[in-house]
Amino acid sequence: MKNKSINVKNERINNILKKMNEKNYDGMLLTQPNNIQYVSDYRPTSFAICILKENPIIFTTAMDKELACETSSIEVKDYKSISTLRDVFHNEKFKKIAIEGNLPINSYNRLLADELKKEIWELHVEDFLEKERMIKSEKEIKMIKKATDIAHKSFIELDIREKQESSVNDWEVAYELGYLMRSNGASEESFETIVATGSNSSLPHANLENKKLEDLILMDWGARYKGYCSDTSRTMINYNNEKQKEVFDIVLEAHHEAIKSLKAGELACNIDNIVRSVIDEYGYVENFIHSTGHSLGLDIHETPSISKRDKSILEENMIVTIEPGIYLEGEFGVRIEDTLIIKKNKSEVIGNLPYNI
């Protein structure tokens, strides 16, 4: 078995190496599957570890060796034991090593603890990958658009209003939507589909309860396509219920106001403030209990977040969600969410799924 392309430097790796060099790192360890996929195109299905250096290497087990060799643009070697990695560090005279913040503690202990006691290696948690992944390439944008198309097409095929009339339950709806997304090309859902009906909708992350659909249904779903995620929320209300319609209209107004201001150069926290200001005008700001949005890509939640604490400056080709919501405990909740590409002077909504369903 041979790699499709051995040690071909790509822009992503070069950018990360440049940041590493600025801080005098000898190498960086990657264990998070999405980070390994980001730099190599190989997505691990079992244990794998990547050492980023001038000539990067991925170590993988026999279980994943064939897949890794077929897909990785980085050289693949067999992982035999923890000593395999120790040997690389010693042979290349590593002294200062960057690690991910989510390096499993058991891997840290097995790999590095004894050496640290000897003061041979100096370790630092770095967010090089998280920052590099913030700006999406044209290929990544294409994948996210495709994932969104699959999710929206599947939702339309589901025909939630027909399901409502036929008195099915929340679990059946979630199951069928997952089936439709896979039938339309998704590898899986981006996350566990939320189908919250009646009073359950006041819980932003409500669990499925085999509950019959009532006159209000809040759904949050996404498809994963070639590793990339989509994320959409819609709330189907009873338009004859004045309170539901009032809250729906407020959330939709806040959603649209945020999108008007979403562009390169804006602070993430300012977009969150715009949403809260609109909701506050109507007296419901205490019922907006989560952030306005988040970035997504290979992970469903990435950096930056659209929240009151995130002072990141938004840049072109970041992809973020806008998802204001109002939740009235014990009554109902409304959330409306779209995914958007940030442009120089505006933002672009991915997809054209209606709001009034």
PDB file of all heavy atoms in Angstrom, residues 170-171 174-175 177-178 181-182 188-196 204-210 218-224 229-233 300-301 335:
ATOM      1  N   ASP A 170     -42.197  12.304  17.973  1.00  0.00           N
ATOM      2  CA  ASP A 170     -40.944  13.005  17.713  1.00  0.00           C
ATOM      3  C   ASP A 170     -39.839  12.056  17.263  1.00  0.00           C
ATOM      4  O   ASP A 170     -39.065  12.356  16.359  1.00  0.00           O
ATOM      5  CB  ASP A 170     -40.510  13.824  18.937  1.00  0.00           C
ATOM      6  CG  ASP A 170     -40.431  13.003  20.226  1.00  0.00           C
ATOM      7  OD1 ASP A 170     -40.588  11.767  20.185  1.00  0.00           O
ATOM      8  OD2 ASP A 170     -40.216  13.623  21.291  1.00  0.00           O
ATOM      9  N   TRP A 171     -39.781  10.856  17.868  1.00  0.00           N
ATOM     10  CA  TRP A 171     -38.740   9.900  17.513  1.00  0.00           C
ATOM     11  C   TRP A 171     -38.889   9.430  16.067  1.00  0.00           C
ATOM     12  O   TRP A 171     -37.903   9.311  15.338  1.00  0.00           O
ATOM     13  CB  TRP A 171     -38.802   8.697  18.456  1.00  0.00           C
ATOM     14  CG  TRP A 171     -37.733   7.694  18.220  1.00  0.00           C
ATOM     15  CD1 TRP A 171     -36.493   7.663  18.781  1.00  0.00           C
ATOM     16  CD2 TRP A 171     -37.801   6.561  17.334  1.00  0.00           C
ATOM     17  NE1 TRP A 171     -35.775   6.582  18.306  1.00  0.00           N
ATOM     18  CE2 TRP A 171     -36.564   5.897  17.421  1.00  0.00           C
ATOM     19  CE3 TRP A 171     -38.787   6.057  16.491  1.00  0.00           C
ATOM     20  CZ2 TRP A 171     -36.283   4.741  16.687  1.00  0.00           C
ATOM     21  CZ3 TRP A 171     -38.503   4.917  15.752  1.00  0.00           C
ATOM     22  CH2 TRP A 171     -37.262   4.269  15.859  1.00  0.00           C
ATOM     23  N   ALA A 174     -37.553  12.196  13.728  1.00  0.00           N
ATOM     24  CA  ALA A 174     -36.094  12.273  13.727  1.00  0.00           C
ATOM     25  C   ALA A 174     -35.485  11.105  12.952  1.00  0.00           C
ATOM     26  O   ALA A 174     -34.540  11.283  12.177  1.00  0.00           O
ATOM     27  CB  ALA A 174     -35.572  12.289  15.156  1.00  0.00           C
ATOM     28  N   TYR A 175     -36.040   9.915  13.152  1.00  0.00           N
ATOM     29  CA  TYR A 175     -35.534   8.726  12.468  1.00  0.00           C
ATOM     30  C   TYR A 175     -35.718   8.858  10.957  1.00  0.00           C
ATOM     31  O   TYR A 175     -34.789   8.591  10.173  1.00  0.00           O
ATOM     32  CB  TYR A 175     -36.261   7.485  12.977  1.00  0.00           C
ATOM     33  CG  TYR A 175     -35.758   6.196  12.364  1.00  0.00           C
ATOM     34  CD1 TYR A 175     -34.684   5.510  12.926  1.00  0.00           C
ATOM     35  CD2 TYR A 175     -36.366   5.674  11.218  1.00  0.00           C
ATOM     36  CE1 TYR A 175     -34.224   4.328  12.361  1.00  0.00           C
ATOM     37  CE2 TYR A 175     -35.907   4.501  10.650  1.00  0.00           C
ATOM     38  CZ  TYR A 175     -34.838   3.831  11.222  1.00  0.00           C
ATOM     39  OH  TYR A 175     -34.377   2.674  10.646  1.00  0.00           O
ATOM     40  N   LEU A 177     -36.082  11.594   9.165  1.00  0.00           N
ATOM     41  CA  LEU A 177     -35.237  12.654   8.618  1.00  0.00           C
ATOM     42  C   LEU A 177     -33.801  12.166   8.462  1.00  0.00           C
ATOM     43  O   LEU A 177     -33.136  12.451   7.454  1.00  0.00           O
ATOM     44  CB  LEU A 177     -35.290  13.894   9.515  1.00  0.00           C
ATOM     45  CG  LEU A 177     -34.506  15.114   9.026  1.00  0.00           C
ATOM     46  CD1 LEU A 177     -34.931  15.521   7.615  1.00  0.00           C
ATOM     47  CD2 LEU A 177     -34.676  16.280   9.997  1.00  0.00           C
ATOM     48  N   GLY A 178     -33.309  11.409   9.441  1.00  0.00           N
ATOM     49  CA  GLY A 178     -31.969  10.835   9.322  1.00  0.00           C
ATOM     50  C   GLY A 178     -31.858   9.900   8.128  1.00  0.00           C
ATOM     51  O   GLY A 178     -30.859   9.913   7.400  1.00  0.00           O
ATOM     52  N   MET A 181     -31.771  12.026   4.904  1.00  0.00           N
ATOM     53  CA  MET A 181     -30.486  12.685   4.688  1.00  0.00           C
ATOM     54  C   MET A 181     -29.459  11.697   4.161  1.00  0.00           C
ATOM     55  O   MET A 181     -28.690  12.020   3.240  1.00  0.00           O
ATOM     56  CB  MET A 181     -30.012  13.365   5.973  1.00  0.00           C
ATOM     57  CG  MET A 181     -30.805  14.610   6.309  1.00  0.00           C
ATOM     58  SD  MET A 181     -30.088  15.671   7.599  1.00  0.00           S
ATOM     59  CE  MET A 181     -30.380  14.695   9.076  1.00  0.00           C
ATOM     60  N   ARG A 182     -29.443  10.496   4.698  1.00  0.00           N
ATOM     61  CA  ARG A 182     -28.521   9.483   4.183  1.00  0.00           C
ATOM     62  C   ARG A 182     -28.883   9.098   2.748  1.00  0.00           C
ATOM     63  O   ARG A 182     -28.002   8.926   1.895  1.00  0.00           O
ATOM     64  CB  ARG A 182     -28.542   8.256   5.089  1.00  0.00           C
ATOM     65  CG  ARG A 182     -27.833   8.471   6.424  1.00  0.00           C
ATOM     66  CD  ARG A 182     -28.068   7.299   7.370  1.00  0.00           C
ATOM     67  NE  ARG A 182     -27.254   7.393   8.562  1.00  0.00           N
ATOM     68  CZ  ARG A 182     -27.557   8.147   9.617  1.00  0.00           C
ATOM     69  NH1 ARG A 182     -28.662   8.888   9.618  1.00  0.00           N
ATOM     70  NH2 ARG A 182     -26.762   8.188  10.670  1.00  0.00           N
ATOM     71  N   GLU A 188     -23.978  10.855   7.579  1.00  0.00           N
ATOM     72  CA  GLU A 188     -24.644  10.753   8.869  1.00  0.00           C
ATOM     73  C   GLU A 188     -25.216  12.124   9.224  1.00  0.00           C
ATOM     74  O   GLU A 188     -25.021  13.100   8.501  1.00  0.00           O
ATOM     75  CB  GLU A 188     -23.665  10.310   9.960  1.00  0.00           C
ATOM     76  CG  GLU A 188     -22.483  11.270  10.132  1.00  0.00           C
ATOM     77  CD  GLU A 188     -21.464  10.780  11.140  1.00  0.00           C
ATOM     78  OE1 GLU A 188     -21.829   9.943  11.992  1.00  0.00           O
ATOM     79  OE2 GLU A 188     -20.312  11.244  11.084  1.00  0.00           O
ATOM     80  N   GLU A 189     -25.904  12.202  10.363  1.00  0.00           N
ATOM     81  CA  GLU A 189     -26.331  13.502  10.861  1.00  0.00           C
ATOM     82  C   GLU A 189     -25.125  14.248  11.433  1.00  0.00           C
ATOM     83  O   GLU A 189     -24.166  13.628  11.906  1.00  0.00           O
ATOM     84  CB  GLU A 189     -27.382  13.354  11.975  1.00  0.00           C
ATOM     85  CG  GLU A 189     -28.698  12.749  11.524  1.00  0.00           C
ATOM     86  CD  GLU A 189     -28.823  11.276  11.809  1.00  0.00           C
ATOM     87  OE1 GLU A 189     -27.773  10.580  11.833  1.00  0.00           O
ATOM     88  OE2 GLU A 189     -29.967  10.807  11.997  1.00  0.00           O
ATOM     89  N   SER A 190     -25.185  15.578  11.405  1.00  0.00           N
ATOM     90  CA  SER A 190     -24.123  16.382  12.024  1.00  0.00           C
ATOM     91  C   SER A 190     -24.142  16.243  13.541  1.00  0.00           C
ATOM     92  O   SER A 190     -23.116  16.411  14.203  1.00  0.00           O
ATOM     93  CB  SER A 190     -24.301  17.870  11.688  1.00  0.00           C
ATOM     94  OG  SER A 190     -24.231  18.106  10.319  1.00  0.00           O
ATOM     95  N   PHE A 191     -25.314  15.988  14.087  1.00  0.00           N
ATOM     96  CA  PHE A 191     -25.522  15.864  15.528  1.00  0.00           C
ATOM     97  C   PHE A 191     -26.875  15.182  15.701  1.00  0.00           C
ATOM     98  O   PHE A 191     -27.605  14.978  14.724  1.00  0.00           O
ATOM     99  CB  PHE A 191     -25.521  17.243  16.214  1.00  0.00           C
ATOM    100  CG  PHE A 191     -26.433  18.243  15.554  1.00  0.00           C
ATOM    101  CD1 PHE A 191     -27.766  18.373  15.949  1.00  0.00           C
ATOM    102  CD2 PHE A 191     -25.980  19.051  14.519  1.00  0.00           C
ATOM    103  CE1 PHE A 191     -28.611  19.269  15.324  1.00  0.00           C
ATOM    104  CE2 PHE A 191     -26.823  19.963  13.892  1.00  0.00           C
ATOM    105  CZ  PHE A 191     -28.144  20.074  14.294  1.00  0.00           C
ATOM    106  N   GLU A 192     -27.240  14.849  16.921  1.00  0.00           N
ATOM    107  CA  GLU A 192     -28.523  14.189  17.155  1.00  0.00           C
ATOM    108  C   GLU A 192     -29.659  15.160  16.857  1.00  0.00           C
ATOM    109  O   GLU A 192     -29.738  16.246  17.436  1.00  0.00           O
ATOM    110  CB  GLU A 192     -28.622  13.699  18.603  1.00  0.00           C
ATOM    111  CG  GLU A 192     -29.873  12.880  18.869  1.00  0.00           C
ATOM    112  CD  GLU A 192     -29.901  12.253  20.252  1.00  0.00           C
ATOM    113  OE1 GLU A 192     -28.846  12.247  20.923  1.00  0.00           O
ATOM    114  OE2 GLU A 192     -30.978  11.770  20.664  1.00  0.00           O
ATOM    115  N   THR A 193     -30.517  14.778  15.944  1.00  0.00           N
ATOM    116  CA  THR A 193     -31.615  15.647  15.522  1.00  0.00           C
ATOM    117  C   THR A 193     -32.528  15.975  16.697  1.00  0.00           C
ATOM    118  O   THR A 193     -32.895  15.097  17.483  1.00  0.00           O
ATOM    119  CB  THR A 193     -32.434  14.961  14.412  1.00  0.00           C
ATOM    120  OG1 THR A 193     -31.581  14.753  13.278  1.00  0.00           O
ATOM    121  CG2 THR A 193     -33.622  15.812  13.990  1.00  0.00           C
ATOM    122  N   ILE A 194     -32.894  17.256  16.793  1.00  0.00           N
ATOM    123  CA  ILE A 194     -33.828  17.713  17.822  1.00  0.00           C
ATOM    124  C   ILE A 194     -35.209  17.871  17.192  1.00  0.00           C
ATOM    125  O   ILE A 194     -35.368  18.571  16.190  1.00  0.00           O
ATOM    126  CB  ILE A 194     -33.375  19.055  18.430  1.00  0.00           C
ATOM    127  CG1 ILE A 194     -32.051  18.873  19.187  1.00  0.00           C
ATOM    128  CG2 ILE A 194     -34.452  19.630  19.365  1.00  0.00           C
ATOM    129  CD1 ILE A 194     -31.414  20.181  19.631  1.00  0.00           C
ATOM    130  N   VAL A 195     -36.176  17.183  17.760  1.00  0.00           N
ATOM    131  CA  VAL A 195     -37.581  17.370  17.399  1.00  0.00           C
ATOM    132  C   VAL A 195     -38.308  17.625  18.721  1.00  0.00           C
ATOM    133  O   VAL A 195     -38.603  16.700  19.465  1.00  0.00           O
ATOM    134  CB  VAL A 195     -38.176  16.144  16.681  1.00  0.00           C
ATOM    135  CG1 VAL A 195     -39.633  16.422  16.283  1.00  0.00           C
ATOM    136  CG2 VAL A 195     -37.354  15.787  15.452  1.00  0.00           C
ATOM    137  N   ALA A 196     -38.538  18.901  19.026  1.00  0.00           N
ATOM    138  CA  ALA A 196     -39.146  19.283  20.302  1.00  0.00           C
ATOM    139  C   ALA A 196     -40.543  19.818  20.032  1.00  0.00           C
ATOM    140  O   ALA A 196     -40.714  20.767  19.267  1.00  0.00           O
ATOM    141  CB  ALA A 196     -38.300  20.346  20.995  1.00  0.00           C
ATOM    142  N   PRO A 204     -33.883  24.182  24.901  1.00  0.00           N
ATOM    143  CA  PRO A 204     -33.126  24.355  23.647  1.00  0.00           C
ATOM    144  C   PRO A 204     -32.568  23.059  23.077  1.00  0.00           C
ATOM    145  O   PRO A 204     -32.500  22.892  21.864  1.00  0.00           O
ATOM    146  CB  PRO A 204     -32.001  25.314  24.059  1.00  0.00           C
ATOM    147  CG  PRO A 204     -32.582  26.092  25.194  1.00  0.00           C
ATOM    148  CD  PRO A 204     -33.445  25.123  25.944  1.00  0.00           C
ATOM    149  N   HIS A 205     -32.141  22.130  23.934  1.00  0.00           N
ATOM    150  CA  HIS A 205     -31.602  20.847  23.484  1.00  0.00           C
ATOM    151  C   HIS A 205     -32.475  19.716  24.012  1.00  0.00           C
ATOM    152  O   HIS A 205     -31.996  18.777  24.651  1.00  0.00           O
ATOM    153  CB  HIS A 205     -30.154  20.674  23.945  1.00  0.00           C
ATOM    154  CG  HIS A 205     -29.194  21.567  23.240  1.00  0.00           C
ATOM    155  ND1 HIS A 205     -27.912  21.802  23.692  1.00  0.00           N
ATOM    156  CD2 HIS A 205     -29.322  22.308  22.112  1.00  0.00           C
ATOM    157  CE1 HIS A 205     -27.297  22.628  22.867  1.00  0.00           C
ATOM    158  NE2 HIS A 205     -28.137  22.951  21.897  1.00  0.00           N
ATOM    159  N   ALA A 206     -33.747  19.778  23.704  1.00  0.00           N
ATOM    160  CA  ALA A 206     -34.696  18.783  24.198  1.00  0.00           C
ATOM    161  C   ALA A 206     -34.360  17.392  23.680  1.00  0.00           C
ATOM    162  O   ALA A 206     -33.938  17.218  22.531  1.00  0.00           O
ATOM    163  CB  ALA A 206     -36.108  19.165  23.780  1.00  0.00           C
ATOM    164  N   ASN A 207     -34.566  16.395  24.533  1.00  0.00           N
ATOM    165  CA  ASN A 207     -34.388  15.008  24.136  1.00  0.00           C
ATOM    166  C   ASN A 207     -35.668  14.470  23.487  1.00  0.00           C
ATOM    167  O   ASN A 207     -36.768  14.945  23.776  1.00  0.00           O
ATOM    168  CB  ASN A 207     -34.051  14.144  25.358  1.00  0.00           C
ATOM    169  CG  ASN A 207     -32.705  14.487  25.945  1.00  0.00           C
ATOM    170  OD1 ASN A 207     -31.736  14.696  25.220  1.00  0.00           O
ATOM    171  ND2 ASN A 207     -32.629  14.539  27.266  1.00  0.00           N
ATOM    172  N   LEU A 208     -35.499  13.467  22.630  1.00  0.00           N
ATOM    173  CA  LEU A 208     -36.660  12.785  22.062  1.00  0.00           C
ATOM    174  C   LEU A 208     -37.354  11.979  23.161  1.00  0.00           C
ATOM    175  O   LEU A 208     -36.694  11.335  23.977  1.00  0.00           O
ATOM    176  CB  LEU A 208     -36.225  11.863  20.931  1.00  0.00           C
ATOM    177  CG  LEU A 208     -35.541  12.547  19.745  1.00  0.00           C
ATOM    178  CD1 LEU A 208     -34.989  11.501  18.789  1.00  0.00           C
ATOM    179  CD2 LEU A 208     -36.486  13.482  19.028  1.00  0.00           C
ATOM    180  N   GLU A 209     -38.677  12.013  23.155  1.00  0.00           N
ATOM    181  CA  GLU A 209     -39.435  11.374  24.235  1.00  0.00           C
ATOM    182  C   GLU A 209     -40.584  10.495  23.734  1.00  0.00           C
ATOM    183  O   GLU A 209     -41.493  10.169  24.488  1.00  0.00           O
ATOM    184  CB  GLU A 209     -40.003  12.433  25.186  1.00  0.00           C
ATOM    185  CG  GLU A 209     -38.942  13.204  25.959  1.00  0.00           C
ATOM    186  CD  GLU A 209     -39.532  14.146  26.986  1.00  0.00           C
ATOM    187  OE1 GLU A 209     -40.776  14.294  27.030  1.00  0.00           O
ATOM    188  OE2 GLU A 209     -38.741  14.725  27.753  1.00  0.00           O
ATOM    189  N   ASN A 210     -40.561  10.114  22.451  1.00  0.00           N
ATOM    190  CA  ASN A 210     -41.699   9.373  21.880  1.00  0.00           C
ATOM    191  C   ASN A 210     -43.007  10.121  22.118  1.00  0.00           C
ATOM    192  O   ASN A 210     -44.041   9.529  22.430  1.00  0.00           O
ATOM    193  CB  ASN A 210     -41.787   7.965  22.461  1.00  0.00           C
ATOM    194  CG  ASN A 210     -40.673   7.060  21.953  1.00  0.00           C
ATOM    195  OD1 ASN A 210     -40.232   7.202  20.811  1.00  0.00           O
ATOM    196  ND2 ASN A 210     -40.212   6.171  22.790  1.00  0.00           N
ATOM    197  N   LEU A 218     -40.379  22.471  17.189  1.00  0.00           N
ATOM    198  CA  LEU A 218     -39.069  23.085  16.970  1.00  0.00           C
ATOM    199  C   LEU A 218     -38.111  21.987  16.539  1.00  0.00           C
ATOM    200  O   LEU A 218     -37.950  20.989  17.243  1.00  0.00           O
ATOM    201  CB  LEU A 218     -38.572  23.753  18.258  1.00  0.00           C
ATOM    202  CG  LEU A 218     -37.313  24.637  18.166  1.00  0.00           C
ATOM    203  CD1 LEU A 218     -37.231  25.549  19.392  1.00  0.00           C
ATOM    204  CD2 LEU A 218     -36.017  23.846  18.053  1.00  0.00           C
ATOM    205  N   MET A 219     -37.503  22.173  15.378  1.00  0.00           N
ATOM    206  CA  MET A 219     -36.557  21.172  14.866  1.00  0.00           C
ATOM    207  C   MET A 219     -35.191  21.807  14.609  1.00  0.00           C
ATOM    208  O   MET A 219     -35.096  22.919  14.090  1.00  0.00           O
ATOM    209  CB  MET A 219     -37.086  20.527  13.587  1.00  0.00           C
ATOM    210  CG  MET A 219     -38.330  19.683  13.816  1.00  0.00           C
ATOM    211  SD  MET A 219     -38.901  18.829  12.316  1.00  0.00           S
ATOM    212  CE  MET A 219     -37.494  17.786  11.930  1.00  0.00           C
ATOM    213  N   ASP A 220     -34.152  21.069  14.979  1.00  0.00           N
ATOM    214  CA  ASP A 220     -32.763  21.481  14.764  1.00  0.00           C
ATOM    215  C   ASP A 220     -32.049  20.257  14.205  1.00  0.00           C
ATOM    216  O   ASP A 220     -31.993  19.217  14.865  1.00  0.00           O
ATOM    217  CB  ASP A 220     -32.161  21.929  16.099  1.00  0.00           C
ATOM    218  CG  ASP A 220     -30.828  22.656  15.936  1.00  0.00           C
ATOM    219  OD1 ASP A 220     -30.186  22.504  14.887  1.00  0.00           O
ATOM    220  OD2 ASP A 220     -30.443  23.373  16.876  1.00  0.00           O
ATOM    221  N   TRP A 221     -31.508  20.348  13.000  1.00  0.00           N
ATOM    222  CA  TRP A 221     -30.945  19.170  12.334  1.00  0.00           C
ATOM    223  C   TRP A 221     -29.812  19.581  11.406  1.00  0.00           C
ATOM    224  O   TRP A 221     -29.657  20.748  11.049  1.00  0.00           O
ATOM    225  CB  TRP A 221     -32.031  18.434  11.557  1.00  0.00           C
ATOM    226  CG  TRP A 221     -32.460  19.084  10.266  1.00  0.00           C
ATOM    227  CD1 TRP A 221     -32.076  18.724   9.015  1.00  0.00           C
ATOM    228  CD2 TRP A 221     -33.325  20.224  10.100  1.00  0.00           C
ATOM    229  NE1 TRP A 221     -32.646  19.551   8.075  1.00  0.00           N
ATOM    230  CE2 TRP A 221     -33.428  20.473   8.724  1.00  0.00           C
ATOM    231  CE3 TRP A 221     -34.020  21.042  10.991  1.00  0.00           C
ATOM    232  CZ2 TRP A 221     -34.189  21.531   8.209  1.00  0.00           C
ATOM    233  CZ3 TRP A 221     -34.775  22.087  10.487  1.00  0.00           C
ATOM    234  CH2 TRP A 221     -34.865  22.324   9.108  1.00  0.00           C
ATOM    235  N   GLY A 222     -29.029  18.588  11.024  1.00  0.00           N
ATOM    236  CA  GLY A 222     -27.937  18.852  10.096  1.00  0.00           C
ATOM    237  C   GLY A 222     -27.455  17.569   9.455  1.00  0.00           C
ATOM    238  O   GLY A 222     -27.616  16.473  10.005  1.00  0.00           O
ATOM    239  N   ALA A 223     -26.839  17.711   8.289  1.00  0.00           N
ATOM    240  CA  ALA A 223     -26.249  16.583   7.564  1.00  0.00           C
ATOM    241  C   ALA A 223     -24.739  16.741   7.542  1.00  0.00           C
ATOM    242  O   ALA A 223     -24.216  17.859   7.559  1.00  0.00           O
ATOM    243  CB  ALA A 223     -26.788  16.529   6.134  1.00  0.00           C
ATOM    244  N   ARG A 224     -24.047  15.616   7.502  1.00  0.00           N
ATOM    245  CA  ARG A 224     -22.594  15.628   7.329  1.00  0.00           C
ATOM    246  C   ARG A 224     -22.280  15.074   5.938  1.00  0.00           C
ATOM    247  O   ARG A 224     -22.720  13.970   5.585  1.00  0.00           O
ATOM    248  CB  ARG A 224     -21.912  14.792   8.409  1.00  0.00           C
ATOM    249  CG  ARG A 224     -20.382  14.927   8.402  1.00  0.00           C
ATOM    250  CD  ARG A 224     -19.740  14.045   9.461  1.00  0.00           C
ATOM    251  NE  ARG A 224     -20.034  14.483  10.800  1.00  0.00           N
ATOM    252  CZ  ARG A 224     -19.341  15.404  11.468  1.00  0.00           C
ATOM    253  NH1 ARG A 224     -18.300  15.980  10.890  1.00  0.00           N
ATOM    254  NH2 ARG A 224     -19.678  15.730  12.698  1.00  0.00           N
ATOM    255  N   CYS A 229     -20.189  19.691   8.103  1.00  0.00           N
ATOM    256  CA  CYS A 229     -21.495  19.747   8.766  1.00  0.00           C
ATOM    257  C   CYS A 229     -22.394  20.851   8.221  1.00  0.00           C
ATOM    258  O   CYS A 229     -21.913  21.878   7.732  1.00  0.00           O
ATOM    259  CB  CYS A 229     -21.308  20.023  10.264  1.00  0.00           C
ATOM    260  SG  CYS A 229     -20.342  18.793  11.135  1.00  0.00           S
ATOM    261  N   SER A 230     -23.688  20.632   8.376  1.00  0.00           N
ATOM    262  CA  SER A 230     -24.667  21.713   8.216  1.00  0.00           C
ATOM    263  C   SER A 230     -25.455  21.822   9.505  1.00  0.00           C
ATOM    264  O   SER A 230     -25.419  20.925  10.348  1.00  0.00           O
ATOM    265  CB  SER A 230     -25.617  21.433   7.043  1.00  0.00           C
ATOM    266  OG  SER A 230     -26.567  20.439   7.385  1.00  0.00           O
ATOM    267  N   ASP A 231     -26.169  22.944   9.666  1.00  0.00           N
ATOM    268  CA  ASP A 231     -26.931  23.185  10.904  1.00  0.00           C
ATOM    269  C   ASP A 231     -28.070  24.150  10.588  1.00  0.00           C
ATOM    270  O   ASP A 231     -27.825  25.266  10.128  1.00  0.00           O
ATOM    271  CB  ASP A 231     -26.004  23.780  11.964  1.00  0.00           C
ATOM    272  CG  ASP A 231     -26.604  23.755  13.362  1.00  0.00           C
ATOM    273  OD1 ASP A 231     -27.747  23.299  13.520  1.00  0.00           O
ATOM    274  OD2 ASP A 231     -25.915  24.210  14.298  1.00  0.00           O
ATOM    275  N   THR A 232     -29.297  23.714  10.822  1.00  0.00           N
ATOM    276  CA  THR A 232     -30.486  24.528  10.549  1.00  0.00           C
ATOM    277  C   THR A 232     -31.507  24.304  11.655  1.00  0.00           C
ATOM    278  O   THR A 232     -31.629  23.193  12.170  1.00  0.00           O
ATOM    279  CB  THR A 232     -31.127  24.133   9.195  1.00  0.00           C
ATOM    280  OG1 THR A 232     -30.158  24.248   8.155  1.00  0.00           O
ATOM    281  CG2 THR A 232     -32.321  25.032   8.878  1.00  0.00           C
ATOM    282  N   SER A 233     -32.223  25.360  12.011  1.00  0.00           N
ATOM    283  CA  SER A 233     -33.374  25.227  12.914  1.00  0.00           C
ATOM    284  C   SER A 233     -34.574  25.931  12.302  1.00  0.00           C
ATOM    285  O   SER A 233     -34.446  27.009  11.714  1.00  0.00           O
ATOM    286  CB  SER A 233     -33.096  25.865  14.281  1.00  0.00           C
ATOM    287  OG  SER A 233     -32.067  25.211  14.962  1.00  0.00           O
ATOM    288  N   ILE A 300     -19.216  20.561  14.456  1.00  0.00           N
ATOM    289  CA  ILE A 300     -20.449  21.332  14.454  1.00  0.00           C
ATOM    290  C   ILE A 300     -20.299  22.636  15.226  1.00  0.00           C
ATOM    291  O   ILE A 300     -20.990  23.613  14.954  1.00  0.00           O
ATOM    292  CB  ILE A 300     -21.634  20.484  14.999  1.00  0.00           C
ATOM    293  CG1 ILE A 300     -22.970  21.169  14.697  1.00  0.00           C
ATOM    294  CG2 ILE A 300     -21.468  20.188  16.467  1.00  0.00           C
ATOM    295  CD1 ILE A 300     -23.277  21.361  13.240  1.00  0.00           C
ATOM    296  N   HIS A 301     -19.383  22.677  16.178  1.00  0.00           N
ATOM    297  CA  HIS A 301     -19.081  23.920  16.886  1.00  0.00           C
ATOM    298  C   HIS A 301     -17.589  24.202  16.754  1.00  0.00           C
ATOM    299  O   HIS A 301     -16.758  23.433  17.229  1.00  0.00           O
ATOM    300  CB  HIS A 301     -19.460  23.833  18.370  1.00  0.00           C
ATOM    301  CG  HIS A 301     -20.926  23.836  18.615  1.00  0.00           C
ATOM    302  ND1 HIS A 301     -21.657  22.680  18.785  1.00  0.00           N
ATOM    303  CD2 HIS A 301     -21.817  24.855  18.702  1.00  0.00           C
ATOM    304  CE1 HIS A 301     -22.929  22.980  18.987  1.00  0.00           C
ATOM    305  NE2 HIS A 301     -23.054  24.291  18.921  1.00  0.00           N
ATOM    306  N   ARG A 335     -36.974  28.892  17.892  1.00  0.00           N
ATOM    307  CA  ARG A 335     -35.605  29.159  17.432  1.00  0.00           C
ATOM    308  C   ARG A 335     -35.605  29.114  15.914  1.00  0.00           C
ATOM    309  O   ARG A 335     -36.243  28.233  15.310  1.00  0.00           O
ATOM    310  CB  ARG A 335     -34.625  28.137  17.998  1.00  0.00           C
ATOM    311  CG  ARG A 335     -33.185  28.373  17.531  1.00  0.00           C
ATOM    312  CD  ARG A 335     -32.160  27.610  18.362  1.00  0.00           C
ATOM    313  NE  ARG A 335     -32.182  26.172  18.180  1.00  0.00           N
ATOM    314  CZ  ARG A 335     -32.635  25.303  19.078  1.00  0.00           C
ATOM    315  NH1 ARG A 335     -33.155  25.736  20.217  1.00  0.00           N
ATOM    316  NH2 ARG A 335     -32.605  24.003  18.837  1.00  0.00           N
TER     317      ARG A 335
END
